[in-house]
């Protein structure tokens, strides 16, 4: 679990000098679900779970500037 959290953590770093101002974590297999720990990680800002046939990218009405985590 520690290695997984480190991998996710490195991908979620904001880098203003590279214009990386938001990120999206896509978990197609539900690998993150057993490792979710709200006490450690906090609650996700946005959860988007597309239904079959829905686009993978969240709808435009979801603000694209906030960090996102998909469970």
């Amino acid at each position: 679990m520690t290695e997984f959290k480190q991998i996710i953590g490195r991908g979620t770093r904001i880098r203003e000098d590279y214009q990386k101002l938001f990120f999206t974590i896509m978990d197609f297999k539900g690998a993150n679900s057993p490792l979710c720990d709200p006490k450690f990680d906090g609650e996700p800002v946005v959860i988007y779970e597309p239904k079959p046939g829905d686009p993978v990218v969240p709808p435009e009405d979801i603000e694209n500037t906030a960090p996102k985590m998909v469970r």
Side-chain angles (χ1 to χ4, degrees):
M1 181 163 74
T2 302
E3 184 178 9
F4 180 81
K5 299 241 182 214
Q6 287 177 341
I7 291 167
I8 294 294
R10 290 180 185 202
T12 60
R13 291 184 184 145
I14 302 298
R15 292 288 308 262
E16 291 181 21
D17 54 331
Y18 287 101
Q19 300 300 308
K20 182 183 175 205
L21 305 175
F22 65 94
F23 58 88
T24 302
I25 298 172
M26 302 173 90
D27 184 0
F28 292 104
K29 295 290 186 175
N32 189 46
S33 296
L35 303 175
C36 289
D37 181 359
K39 289 182 184 177
F40 179 80
D41 301 317
E43 289 296 326
V45 174
V46 175
I47 298 175
Y48 174 62
E49 297 182 29
K51 307 267 185 284
D54 286 350
V56 175
V57 178
E60 291 297 326
D61 60 345
I62 294 177
E63 186 177 332
N64 287 325
T65 59
K68 298 170 183 61
M69 185 165 97
V70 178
R71 292 190 211 179

